[in-house]
């Protein structure tokens, strides 16, 4: 079946550091989303990025659809960035999002 | 407004109880979804409703019964659940089931005793 792989699985950063999270997918994706899940379980939309590059404040994302990967960049990390980051892709028009296993980020003060 | 609301936030139920989870959105979206998330795992799709009709059932046991009374509301009726059904239940919506951005509610944390 379709595979979505995220790396690294865990990441510990000092406040102020930068990081790059990666999402590889096994087949062409038509809808790629990045989410941040906070400690209370809420999935917060970060980017909808089937291709190209987007920026939102300290976060930016790039998807290279032809090479089947997406990157999430976090700059000047803050403790509030802690949580689990998921990428998810939609491969057909049925609406099913397939999630990667997530990257658990911990930012220390 | 990109808000999806879910009630209740927490639910504890016995294996013989019947309860319902509710999800609501007022974004005019015509696709709504139920996902289940176990601890330390990613969300997994359970059901998709498109224009108030069930379009995907991911082989979910019949003790979970979805309902879409109108385009803004989605319910999940629970009956005779097992302890292994304890999880975070997430509702989502999107403009339609095409390649659209999905927006998630805060979830209902369910514990089955």
């Amino acid at each position: 079946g379709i595979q979505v792989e995220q790396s690294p699985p865990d990441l510990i950063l000092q406040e102020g550091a930068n990081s790059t999270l990666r999402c590889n997918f096994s087949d062409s994706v038509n809808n790629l989303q990045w989410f941040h899940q906070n400690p209370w379980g809420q999935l917060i939309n970060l980017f909808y990025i089937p291709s190209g590059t987007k920026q939102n404040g300290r976060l930016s994302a790039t998807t290279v659809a032809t090479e089947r990967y997406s990157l999430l960049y976090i700059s000047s990390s803050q403790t509030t960035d802690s949580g689990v980051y998921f990428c998810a892709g939609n491969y057909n028009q049925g609406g099913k999002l397939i999630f990667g296993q997530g990257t658990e980020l911990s930012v220390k003060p | 407004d990109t808000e999806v609301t879910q009630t209740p936030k927490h639910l504890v139920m016995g294996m013989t109880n019947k309860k319902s989870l509710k999800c609501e959105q007022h974004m005019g979206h015509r696709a709504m979804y139920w996902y289940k998330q176990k601890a330390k795992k990613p969300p997994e799709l359970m059901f998709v409703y498109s224009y108030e009709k069930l379009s995907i059932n991911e082989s979910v046991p019949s003790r979970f019964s979805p309902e879409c009374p109108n385009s803004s509301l989605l319910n999940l009726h629970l009956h005779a659940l097992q302890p292994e059904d304890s999880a975070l239940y997430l509702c989502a919506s999107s403009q339609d089931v095409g390649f659209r951005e999905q927006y998630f509610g805060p979830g209902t944390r369910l514990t089955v005793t």
Side-chain angles (χ1 to χ4, degrees):
Chain A
I2 305 294
Q3 305 272 342
V4 180
E5 295 181 357
Q6 290 186 244
S7 60
D10 302 280
L11 186 57
I12 300 175
L13 296 176
Q14 207 64 34
E15 200 168 24
N18 302 330
S19 62
T20 301
L21 281 55
R22 186 176 179 104
C23 176
N24 291 334
F25 31 93
S26 64
D27 203 345
S28 299
V29 67
N30 293 290
N31 170 5
L32 195 289
Q33 291 187 242
W34 282 99
F35 298 92
H36 174 210
Q37 189 164 42
N38 66 23
W40 297 273
Q42 172 85 58
L43 274 172
I44 298 162
N45 288 40
L46 297 178
F47 294 102
Y48 171 75
I49 187 165
S51 64
T53 297
K54 290 186 178 180
Q55 178 149 13
N56 184 1
R58 294 182 296 104
L59 302 182
S60 64
T62 294
T63 296
V64 184
T66 53
E67 296 188 23
R68 301 180 184 173
Y69 72 89
S70 184
L71 302 174
L72 177 69
Y73 306 95
I74 305 174
S75 64
S76 304
S77 57
Q78 300 175 359
T79 56
T80 51
D81 294 332
S82 296
V84 182
Y85 289 79
F86 288 106
C87 67
N90 182 349
Y91 296 87
N92 59 47
Q93 297 208 2
K96 178 178 179 177
L97 272 183
I98 297 175
F99 285 76
Q101 292 296 309
T103 292
E104 184 159 11
L105 174 64
S106 180
V107 181
K108 304 294 188 188
Chain B
D1 183 12
T2 55
E3 189 179 27
V4 178
T5 59
Q6 290 187 243
T7 53
K9 286 188 169 50
H10 301 274
L11 179 62
V12 179
M13 61 185 291
M15 290 189 284
T16 58
N17 292 157
K18 286 185 182 181
K19 296 286 184 184
S20 297
L21 310 184
K22 180 179 282 189
C23 173
E24 195 164 3
Q25 57 87 14
H26 293 290
M27 296 179 275
H29 289 174
R30 303 313 299 270
M32 296 186 77
Y33 311 80
W34 282 114
Y35 288 82
K36 174 181 177 179
Q37 186 178 21
K38 300 284 280 183
K40 301 289 188 186
K41 295 290 188 183
E44 292 183 337
L45 183 71
M46 300 174 72
F47 302 104
V48 179
Y49 272 83
S50 176
Y51 289 82
E52 296 131 64
K53 292 193 187 327
L54 184 66
S55 61
I56 295 179
N57 175 343
E58 289 284 301
S59 303
V60 178
S62 60
R63 58 186 184 268
F64 295 91
S65 175
E67 178 196 21
C68 190
N70 61 56
S71 60
S72 301
L73 278 176
L74 185 66
N75 298 320
L76 186 63
H77 303 298
L78 314 173
H79 173 55
L81 295 193
Q82 304 296 309
E84 58 266 27
D85 296 321
S86 298
L88 180 67
Y89 288 84
L90 294 161
C91 174
S93 72
S94 63
Q95 189 173 345
D96 55 44
V97 294
F99 302 119
R100 308 288 193 182
E101 187 171 8
Q102 292 186 23
Y103 298 88
F104 283 78
T108 293
R109 202 165 292 277
L110 174 68
T111 303
V112 182
T113 59

